[in-house]
Amino acid sequence: MDLGAYRPVLANRDTRGALLLGFFIRVPMWAGAVILTLHVVSSLGRSYGEAGLVTAASTVAVAISGPWRGRLLDRIGLRRTVGPSLLVQVVCWSIAPWVDYASLIGFAALAGLFVVPTFSILRQVIIRSVPAEQRRTALSLDSSATELSFMAGPAIGVWLATAYDTGWALLVCELTSVAAGFVLWVVNPPLTSETSTPATDEQGEAARADAIATAETGTGASEGTASSGAPRAVRGFITVPVAAVYLAAACSTLVLSGTDVSIVAALRTFDATQSIGWVLALWGAGSLVGGLVYGAWHRSFSVFWLLGGLAALTLPVALAVGVPTFAVLVTLSGLLCAPTITATVEQLSRLVPERFRGEMMGWHGSAMTAGSAFGAPLAGFAIDHGGWQWGFVVVSVLGVLVAAAGLVAARRFRGEPTAADEAKGPGADSERGVPAASMEH
């Protein structure tokens, strides 16, 4: 482990700016999610289940919009994608805090469809701004910054919702998020190394469209070209190995969302509901430490090894007999959260040609959202029928099975060239921390 690996990454102005901007964008985002739930329950007098429906409507909309918004980033650039989103966000969140329950669901869903794809944008900036050998370290820093914002955002949201009217708190928080998105629009960081700014004139748009068409049909000699020996691609970049990484991303958030629900259920069973906040903070701290260690490590690991480790570390939490042992085991279970998410992004960035990176990140976000949406009810069903321990057991066992299946399936594709490999020519893998076509090492 070499902590000095972080020095050149943090010395890079683009990377440093993306990390700071990402933190300040995500804090109001996490806070807004908490305030929205409290607004439905306290101000509108609805149940937590009905508050969950509002969150579900927004979550489904975000999942649907991910690939679409990512494809727009690839085709027309940051400003032309983000600009309309900012306008829709301002309109929706200026009205939503003052409407009834049914209307709030509609506004939340509309805002979700036009959400600013900040995760996709900032990770693209980070991937573009560092050399390949520093990519894992930079992405680990982004995951760690996300953990910090997640630890701060909900606490700020609860404070705002209890100290002020939830309608005004929701308005201020969401418009702060829009303001952060506007800063991103103004800065307009380049997303790929192919061009520093999106094509804006007629000639540039034609060149961009031609490049995308060439990559999708595989007829050019560009980065996106693949030989007949490469895995067949869907939409220009989704091969079987890429789809497998998306499955791993979905399963990782399935484990995490199931763990989240199970933590709450366990502490309620221990009659320690007041401990939920600090136990969740310890879980996040474990992830933060794990992310920093993984970023400083001397090599990358397959996402399936990390997923299997995440699930295996989560399983022993079911053995806790009280709050002290539970807190320790939960902290340990968080160690591989950030590394697993980092590995999915890093591996996709090596498997997918750069010109598809926006859509790649969009599908990645949708996969993680889908896993989260499935994990919580799965763990809830297990808890209802067997107790809080079974919430941890079910999601852990499923995670281990998916990880094992991924490692076995990866052997089939070992040595097969990817689209990116074809462009780089022989010996390209020697420059990488992880072989592009192998998900086992």
Side-chain angles (χ1 to χ4, degrees):
M1 185 174 68
D2 179 19
L3 293 177
Y6 287 109
R7 189 177 297 112
V9 173
L10 291 173
N12 186 303
R13 185 177 63 179
D14 288 350
T15 306
R16 190 170 61 248
L19 291 170
L20 289 173
L21 188 56
F23 177 80
F24 288 112
I25 286 176
R26 290 161 184 164
V27 167
M29 181 185 71
W30 300 127
V34 173
I35 294 173
L36 182 60
T37 297
L38 295 176
H39 176 70
V40 173
V41 174
S42 61
S43 296
L44 299 184
R46 299 284 180 155
S47 67
Y48 280 99
E50 289 172 309
L53 288 177
V54 178
T55 302
S58 176
T59 301
V60 170
V62 170
I64 293 172
S65 73
W68 165 51
R69 310 295 288 168
R71 191 167 179 82
L72 285 178
L73 286 172
D74 293 332
R75 287 188 175 274
I76 64 177
L78 187 151
R79 282 189 169 173
R80 293 175 62 186
T81 300
V82 171
S85 292
L86 295 175
L87 295 176
V88 173
Q89 296 293 313
V90 168
V91 171
C92 285
W93 294 116
S94 295
I95 300 173
W98 322 115
V99 299
D100 60 16
Y101 175 74
S103 300
L104 179 60
I105 292 178
F107 279 110
L110 181 60
L113 282 175
F114 285 88
V115 68
V116 177
T118 54
F119 279 86
S120 175
I121 291 171
L122 294 170
R123 283 172 177 164
Q124 286 186 77
V125 173
I126 290 171
I127 291 170
R128 187 268 308 163
S129 63
V130 297
E133 63 272 14
Q134 296 177 4
R135 190 173 295 169
R136 169 173 45 84
T137 303
L139 289 172
S140 294
L141 277 175
D142 179 65
S143 294
S144 298
T146 300
E147 291 295 340
L148 285 174
S149 66
F150 179 73
M151 294 168 71
I156 293 173
V158 171
W159 173 74
L160 287 173
T162 53
Y164 303 96
D165 177 77
T166 57
W168 285 106
L170 183 61
L171 176 69
V172 169
C173 196
E174 294 295 348
L175 291 187
T176 300
S177 184
V178 173
F182 179 73
V183 172
L184 187 62
W185 182 88
V186 171
V187 174
N188 190 27
L191 303 181
T192 68
S193 58
E194 294 176 332
T195 177
S196 59
T197 56
T200 55
D201 58 9
E202 183 177 350
Q203 182 179 1
E205 291 291 354
R208 179 180 290 272
D210 180 68
I212 293 172
T214 298
E216 289 179 340
T217 57
T219 57
S222 63
E223 182 186 10
T225 305
S227 71
S228 58
R232 179 174 296 179
V234 179
R235 297 192 64 81
F237 71 92
I238 301 181
T239 61
V240 172
V242 170
V245 178
Y246 284 139
L247 176 61
C251 193
S252 66
T253 51
L254 181 149
V255 173
L256 296 179
S257 63
T259 300
D260 194 359
V261 172
S262 301
I263 288 173
V264 174
L267 291 175
R268 290 185 64 185
T269 302
F270 291 144
D271 196 24
T273 305
Q274 71 279 1
S275 300
I276 291 175
W278 65 264
V279 170
L280 288 174
L282 284 177
W283 187 37
S287 178
L288 175 63
V289 171
L292 291 174
V293 171
Y294 183 64
W297 206 253
H298 64 279
R299 55 160 293 185
S300 297
F301 291 92
S302 163
V303 64
F304 293 105
W305 281 114
L306 291 170
L307 173 61
L310 171 64
L313 284 175
T314 301
L315 185 59
V317 182
L319 302 176
V321 294
V323 174
T325 56
F326 185 82
V328 172
L329 292 172
V330 163
T331 304
L332 294 175
S333 75
L335 290 174
L336 290 181
C337 294
T340 304
I341 301 302
T342 297
T344 61
V345 179
E346 181 195 13
Q347 194 160 324
L348 285 170
S349 72
R350 300 183 187 279
L351 288 168
V352 176
E354 188 177 42
R355 60 173 46 88
F356 295 108
R357 197 164 282 163
E359 188 174 0
M360 172 201 82
M361 291 303 305
W363 282 107
H364 178 265
S366 296
M368 294 182 67
T369 301
S372 180
F374 184 65
L378 177 65
F381 180 83
I383 292 167
D384 290 340
H385 289 80
W388 65 266
Q389 295 92 338
W390 282 96
F392 291 102
V393 171
V394 169
V395 297
S396 297
V397 169
L398 185 56
V400 169
L401 291 177
V402 171
L407 289 169
V408 171
R411 296 179 182 274
R412 288 190 54 196
F413 298 96
R414 182 188 299 175
E416 291 188 5
T418 65
D421 294 332
E422 291 294 326
K424 293 185 176 181
D429 282 350
S430 63
E431 301 175 358
R432 303 179 177 202
V434 179
S438 174
M439 294 179 286
E440 186 177 0
H441 298 291

